[in-house]
Amino acid sequence: MSDAHPIRSRRPGLSAGALIVAGVVLVAIGAVGAWLQRDAPGRSAQPRTEFTASNPPAGLPTALTTGQHLHWSRCTSPPLARTGYDCAVMKAPLDYRKPEGRTIEVALIRRKATGPNARRIGSLVLNFGGPGVSGVSGLPERLNQYEPLLDRYDLVSFDPRGVGATSPVRCGKTADDTGYDGADACAEHSGAILPHVGTSHTARDLDLMRYLLGDERLHYFGVSYGTTLGAVYAHLYPSHVGRFVLEAPVDPTEDLSEEQVSQVKAVQAAFDRFAAHCAARIRPCPTGDGPEEAARRMARLADRLEKKPAPAGGGRHLDADDLAHRVSDHLVLGRDGWSPLAKALTALVDHNDGGPLSDGAADTGSADRAATPPDDSRVARTAITCADSSLRPDFERLGRDEARVRAASPVFGAAWSSGVYLCYDWPFDGGRVTPQVDADGAAPILVVGGTGDPTTPYPGARNMARALGDGVGVLLTAEEEGHGTYPQNRCVTDAVNQYLRTGRTPASGTVCRGTMS
């Protein structure tokens, strides 16, 4: 499940049939060096003991395992990473079924631990969700959330395959276009990488990364889609699971169609809670006297914007689909987004000004929880999602699925319904209907879910904990609004940090009080 909204996929029309350009991977590999720069002479590193692992991934050539070393050096991109961060590239097989074949280069970023060497546990690998979110850009942007863990861990993140500087997928009109022009364009410009961007391949990248970082076991913190990646890793390598946190979990028991319905119901429920709060606490309230009136007003507003989009500044306009997505962006922020949302809707209703709603999620000061990714992230999300899912419904099934999504939410159903067409004409087969995440024999894995999450609904956290297996999944519940509860909820933060520092999980079923208590 994505951290944002479904791409506005094309309606059924032309089938995929574009020629695959096999050389695209080599072009992408050549681009990696642009963001990496060797240490300048005289730059002194803090003395520290480097860890060495003794359990390389099985089945890979020695050139990629014992013969490969990560050469960390000063990052030159993104700008936030130029001070205090190191970057490296890791060679990995393009196709793990052909490990001796072509390789890709995976972009890595690291913030070194600040505590004494004797207390350093190892590396904590972070995935911020998506799928399609860059970890190389994400770690500097989100460092403040995880900085308390630097006393015990190097914080490490990466661009998953198909994302950012790691063989990025291109689906625009040209090979340099980061937009989305349909599945045929994806096949034309990125056909060589598309079959190999799925989560199972990235999970195998994680195990190679673990070994090269010097850890016998992987310590991992995954958010939203990152929980799927972590759970798939645990299934593949249960004996290599170290301290694992899966926060705001995607439901591993639902297929893509079921996900769409569950998510749109969850975002509608979050909007209803906002509308009830607005009616009781905000004057004047742009959504009226409660959820039912709010749905009627939003329908009238969407109809108005469908006929004539509102100006949103900078030459932009806000239409009916934008209305639903931008409202959802505020709801992702939890109660922090409610007051800005009320003000933004008032500006739109009273003054036909779409600017505050379009910009508001970034202006709340909680951009780390904002849901809207850049265009290239949306393209990568499509490619990874379709590589993972084997569902390729016919048009009759798609029509039924679209109707189900529309009926599930009076405010968001229409905008979300296009998501059912995401992979209908994808030019390659996908992995499975649902991911394999059972991890019998793994160390305990901490699963953290928020009861008011509008993006990854709370039942998914319960299902994830169960699916990992008895004695493996440990559920921690937060009674919180918004997508993600760490570090917003103090109780969750304390429990997670203690687990990562000591290895002791809270009792399964522990509940943290929060904004919904």
Side-chain angles (χ1 to χ4, degrees), residues 297-322:
R297 290 192 181 193
M298 290 292 287
R300 291 195 295 269
L301 183 57
D303 184 62
R304 187 181 97 191
L305 295 173
E306 187 68 31
K307 296 173 181 174
K308 186 176 181 180
R316 300 172 301 161
H317 289 81
L318 186 131
D319 62 19
D321 271 7
D322 295 328

Side-chain angles (χ1 to χ4, degrees), residues 148-162:
L149 299 168
L150 275 172
D151 62 332
R152 305 300 301 277
Y153 291 95
D154 293 340
L155 298 183
V156 175
S157 195
F158 64 105
D159 285 355
R161 49 180 61 211

Side-chain angles (χ1 to χ4, degrees), residues 189-225:
H189 301 306
S190 296
I193 186 72
L194 290 181
H196 312 297
V197 298
T199 299
S200 63
H201 270 77
T202 301
R204 290 173 168 86
D205 290 342
L206 273 179
D207 201 52
L208 179 57
M209 193 184 309
R210 167 202 61 78
Y211 172 75
L212 296 176
L213 290 169
D215 290 331
E216 297 284 323
R217 295 190 176 199
L218 177 68
H219 307 302
Y220 178 82
F221 197 135
V223 179
S224 199
Y225 161 77

Side-chain angles (χ1 to χ4, degrees), residues 115-178:
N117 282 324
R119 289 176 51 80
R120 182 161 55 95
I121 295 169
S123 295
L124 180 64
V125 178
L126 302 158
N127 181 279
F128 305 112
V133 172
S134 165
V136 172
S137 297
L139 181 58
E141 292 170 353
R142 296 168 170 85
L143 179 66
N144 65 309
Q145 297 182 69
Y146 304 97
E147 201 160 17
L149 299 168
L150 275 172
D151 62 332
R152 305 300 301 277
Y153 291 95
D154 293 340
L155 298 183
V156 175
S157 195
F158 64 105
D159 285 355
R161 49 180 61 211
V163 179
T166 302
S167 299
V169 171
R170 292 289 180 257
C171 298
K173 291 182 173 60
T174 68
D176 296 326
D177 188 348
T178 60

